[in-house]
Amino acid sequence: MGVLAAAIGLPLALALVIALGGARAVRVTQVLALAGPIGALIAGVELVGRVRHGATVSLMGGGQSAGSATGVLFGFTGDALGALMLVVVGVVAACVVAFSWGYMAHETGRPRYFAVLMLFVAAMSILVLADNLVTLFVGWELVGACSYLLIGFWYRKPAATSAAIKAFMTTRVGDVAMLAGMALLWSRAQTLDFNGIFASVPTLPAGAVTASALLLFVGAAGKSAQFPLHIWLPDAMEGPTPISALIHAATMVAAGVFLVARTWPLFAASGAARTTMLGVGVLTAAYAAVVALAQTDMKKMLAYSTISQLGFMFAALGAGAWGAAMFHLTTHAAFKALLFLAAGSVIHGAATQDIRGMGGLARSMPVTAACWTAGALALSGWWPFAGFFSKDAVVAAVGEVSPFASAVLLATSAVTALYIWRATASAFFGEPRGEKHAHESGSTMTAPLVLLAAGALVLGWAGRPLLELVGAQEAHASAAMIASAVVAVAAGTAAAFAWSSRDAGRNEAFAAGRTWELLRSGLGVDGAIQAIAVRPVLAVARWVESTGDRRIIDWAAEGLGRAATAIGGALAALQTGETDVYASFVAVGFVVLSAIVLWAGGR
C-alpha cells in the first residue's frame, strides 16, 4: 500500500489541497506540487527493488478474481514494466512542475493548472499499476480528461478550446474500439484480469485473438497519435508548453505503447495484429518526419517529431521487439521533454515560437541553447547520446522482420536529423532576426533542462540493464546497420546546415511554394478526414436536430400539449352549473349505456 499511497494517493491529495487553497495559497501549493511526481518516482524505485526479473508484487485488488465473470474488481499490481513507467512519469513530471514555476508565474488560473497536473500524475499511475483492463481503462480515461483540461487551459482562446475538443473526440474513436476489444475478451475469456487473459490466449479462437488485439491496437493508436488518428496532436500545441512536454514525453502518448507492451502475450499470438502495427508504425514514422521538415512553428515541428518517434516504437512492437519499444520510449521521454521545455524557454525569452523570427539565440540564451543541442543530438541519433542506442535497437529489430521497413526507418532517421538541425541552426546560430532582445530564463526553468540533458546523454548506456529488468530480449545491431545509421544521421545533419547557410531569400521563396505549403498542412490528411468523416457526421447531426428534433419530436410533444389543452377547454365548457343540463347528460348517458348493454347481451 506504500506504493499506491505514494504514486496515486499523494498526487490526488495534492490536487485537492491545491484546488482548495486557491489563488492566495498558490505560491506555497505550487511548491508542494513537486511532491506528487516525486512520490511516483519513489514508488517506481521502490518497486524496482521489490520485483525480480519477471516477478510481480500484489499491491491491492482481487487477485485472480479481478476482472473475472464473478465481478470486476479495482486492482493494482507492481512489476518491472510498471516500475519503469512510474520512474519515467515521476522524473518528467517533476521537471515539468519545476519548470512551470517560472513559465506560468504570471498566469491566472495557476491553482487549476497545478491541481489538474497532479490529477494527471495520479491518472497515469493508475494506468501503469492496473492489474486488469477495467482499472487500466479508468486511468486511461482520466488521462484523456486531464489532457483535455490542460490543452484547453487558456479556455478563452478559441484555438485552445477547439484543440482540446479535437484531442478529446479523436482519442474517443480509439477508446470505442478499445472498449469493443475488452467486450470481446470478456465474452471469450470470461475475464479482464491480465493474468487470466494471458492464460486463456492458447485456448481462444485465432480470429478472436486477432480481433481483440487489433481493437486494442486502435485504442493505442488513438492515444499514441498513429496515422490517421494523429491529427489531434499538432493542434494540442495550443496548451501551455510544459504540458506539451508532459503529454509528449511521459503520459498521454506513452499510454498507447504501454498498453501494447502490457498485453503483449495477446499480440504475440497474432501475426496479423503485429504486421498491422509494423505497417502503421513505419508509415507514421516516415509521414510525420517529412511533415515536420516543413514546419516553421517550433512546437508544431516537435509535435510531428513525437508522432514520428512513436511510429518507431510501434514499428518495434510490430516486429515483436516490445523491449526495444519500451527502451526507445524511455530515452524519448528524456530528450523530447528536454526539447519541449527548451522550446518553452525560447518562447519565454524570445517571445516567439516561429523559427523564422529567431536566430543567434545561442549568444543570449547559452544554457537553453546547450540543452536544446543535447536534445537534438539525442533525437537525431548521434553517438553517444540516448537516441543513438534506442533508435538503432528499433531499426535492428525491424530489420530482422522486414529489411524494407528497416530501410524506410533509416531514411526517416536522415529526415529526422535534417529537420531538427535545420531548426537548431535557424534558431540558435546566425544573426538575430527577432524584434525583441532575447534573454536567458531563470534557474527554475534552466535547472530542469540541465537534468533532462544529462538523461539524454547517459540513458542510452542503460539499455541492457533496462531490458533485463523488464525481461525483454536485446536486439543486436550489425556493424553494417550501425554504419548505415551513422551515415544517414550525418547526411541529414550536413544537409540541414547546408540548407541554413543558403541565402535567406532563396529559402523563403522555396518555403512559399505549393509543395511546401502542402507539407506544412500535413499533406492534407486533416482536411481529408474533416471532409470524409467529420463534416458528414455534423451534417447528419444538424439534420437530426432540425428535422428529427424540432419538426418531429418537438411537434409531437407540443401537439400533445395543445390537444390536451383543447380537450380540457371543451370539457370545461360543459361545466355550466345548471341542474337541468347535468340531468340531461345523465339521461343521455343512461340511454347510451343501456343500448350498449342490450347490444352486448344480444350477441
Side-chain angles (χ1 to χ4, degrees):
M1 291 300 294
V3 171
L4 293 180
I8 300 174
L10 181 58
L12 283 177
L14 286 171
L16 183 61
V17 169
I18 294 169
L20 293 177
R24 292 184 178 180
V26 72
R27 288 191 176 184
V28 176
T29 55
Q30 70 176 5
V31 177
L32 292 178
L34 189 60
I38 289 178
L41 173 61
I42 293 173
V45 173
E46 181 183 348
L47 268 182
V48 171
R50 290 169 60 183
V51 299
R52 305 187 318 275
H53 171 72
T56 61
V57 294
S58 178
L59 298 177
M60 187 191 83
Q64 293 299 320
S65 65
S68 67
T70 60
V72 176
L73 301 179
F74 206 66
F76 299 94
T77 189
D79 63 359
L81 188 60
L84 173 64
M85 287 300 298
L86 282 181
V87 171
V88 170
V89 171
V91 171
V92 174
C95 291
V96 166
V97 169
F99 187 89
S100 298
W101 295 340
Y103 191 85
M104 303 294 290
H106 303 292
E107 293 289 342
T108 58
R110 280 184 294 162
R112 172 167 50 92
Y113 174 88
F114 284 102
V116 178
L117 190 54
M118 291 301 97
L119 182 59
F120 212 158
V121 173
M124 196 64 188
S125 298
I126 292 172
L127 192 155
V128 302
L129 293 176
D131 72 350
N132 63 81
L133 278 171
V134 174
T135 307
L136 185 146
F137 193 74
V138 171
W140 186 272
E141 290 302 295
L142 282 174
V143 164
C146 292
S147 297
Y148 167 80
L149 293 172
L150 290 171
I151 293 169
F153 175 76
W154 290 308
Y155 57 88
R156 290 184 177 90
K157 185 180 176 183
T161 55
S162 297
I165 293 171
K166 185 175 184 178
F168 192 79
M169 297 304 295
T170 304
T171 54
R172 293 291 77 73
V173 174
D175 293 355
V176 170
M178 183 176 173
L179 275 175
M182 291 168 60
L184 179 59
L185 285 171
W186 176 275
S187 67
R188 293 290 185 171
Q190 296 299 301
T191 181
L192 291 177
D193 174 78
F194 290 131
N195 291 331
I197 292 172
F198 303 156
S200 301
V201 166
T203 65
L204 296 178
V209 171
T210 295
S212 57
L214 287 173
L215 289 168
L216 291 182
F217 165 63
V218 175
K223 273 286 192 290
S224 292
Q226 293 299 282
F227 187 93
L229 297 178
H230 69 281
I231 57 174
W232 65 271
L233 195 55
D235 289 357
M237 297 303 96
E238 295 293 340
T241 303
I243 297 307
S244 299
L246 187 63
I247 291 175
H248 285 249
T251 53
M252 183 82 158
V253 299
V257 179
F258 172 81
L259 171 65
V260 177
R262 172 61 79 199
T263 56
W264 183 249
L266 183 68
F267 286 88
S270 174
R274 295 197 308 275
T275 301
T276 301
M277 281 197 298
L278 176 61
V280 171
V282 171
L283 172 63
T284 302
Y287 159 81
V290 172
V291 174
L293 187 62
Q295 302 305 313
T296 56
D297 184 305
M298 180 176 277
K299 288 179 64 177
K300 188 162 285 190
M301 181 268 292
L302 291 177
Y304 277 105
S305 172
T306 297
I307 296 169
S308 179
Q309 295 305 301
L310 289 166
F312 274 84
M313 297 176 208
F314 275 97
L317 291 169
W322 66 271
M326 291 303 300
F327 180 28
H328 195 48
L329 183 151
T330 303
T331 61
H332 177 263
F335 63 71
K336 188 51 63 68
L338 169 61
L339 287 169
F340 263 110
L341 293 184
S345 181
V346 168
I347 295 168
H348 181 267
T352 182
Q353 58 193 60
D354 191 330
I355 298 171
R356 296 169 295 184
M358 300 177 188
L361 294 180
R363 293 189 291 274
S364 54
M365 306 181 70
V367 177
T368 299
C371 292
W372 170 280
T373 302
L377 286 165
L379 171 61
S380 55
W382 277 103
W383 186 90
F385 287 81
F388 172 83
F389 299 94
S390 60
K391 189 183 293 185
D392 282 4
V394 169
V395 176
V398 171
E400 294 178 1
V401 176
S402 171
F404 173 76
S406 179
V408 173
L409 292 181
L410 280 175
T412 302
S413 296
V415 178
T416 301
L418 177 55
Y419 69 68
I420 192 61
W421 287 110
R422 168 180 168 266
T424 302
S426 298
F428 294 98
F429 302 119
E431 295 301 320
R433 295 185 297 275
E435 298 180 358
K436 181 179 177 180
H437 178 69
H439 60 86
E440 186 61 273
S441 302
S443 58
T444 59
M445 296 171 67
T446 55
L449 298 183
V450 173
L451 176 62
L452 290 169
L457 174 61
V458 305
L459 271 178
W461 300 98
R464 180 169 296 177
L466 185 150
L467 292 173
E468 290 177 352
L469 173 68
V470 299
Q473 293 183 347
E474 183 178 3
H476 297 282
S478 65
M481 197 282 295
I482 293 175
S484 299
V486 170
V487 169
V489 173
T493 304
F497 280 97
W499 187 349
S500 299
S501 65
R502 294 197 319 171
D503 178 71
R506 291 174 62 193
N507 285 339
E508 291 177 3
F510 179 71
R514 290 185 178 181
T515 301
W516 210 243
E517 287 296 329
L518 181 61
L519 281 177
R520 191 174 294 120
S521 68
L523 296 175
V525 173
D526 196 344
I529 292 175
Q530 294 287 330
I532 296 171
V534 177
R535 292 194 191 106
V537 170
L538 288 176
V540 171
R542 292 190 184 100
W543 180 86
V544 170
E545 190 270 339
S546 63
T547 302
D549 185 28
R550 295 185 180 181
R551 296 184 183 180
I552 298 176
I553 297 176
D554 286 356
W555 178 86
E558 294 170 2
L560 289 173
R562 286 192 294 268
T565 301
I567 293 171
L571 293 175
L574 299 177
Q575 306 300 314
T576 62
E578 299 179 7
T579 306
D580 55 343
V581 173
Y582 295 155
S584 300
F585 288 158
V586 171
V588 171
F590 176 76
V591 172
V592 171
L593 290 174
S594 299
I596 292 173
V597 169
L598 291 173
W599 177 77
R603 291 175 61 87

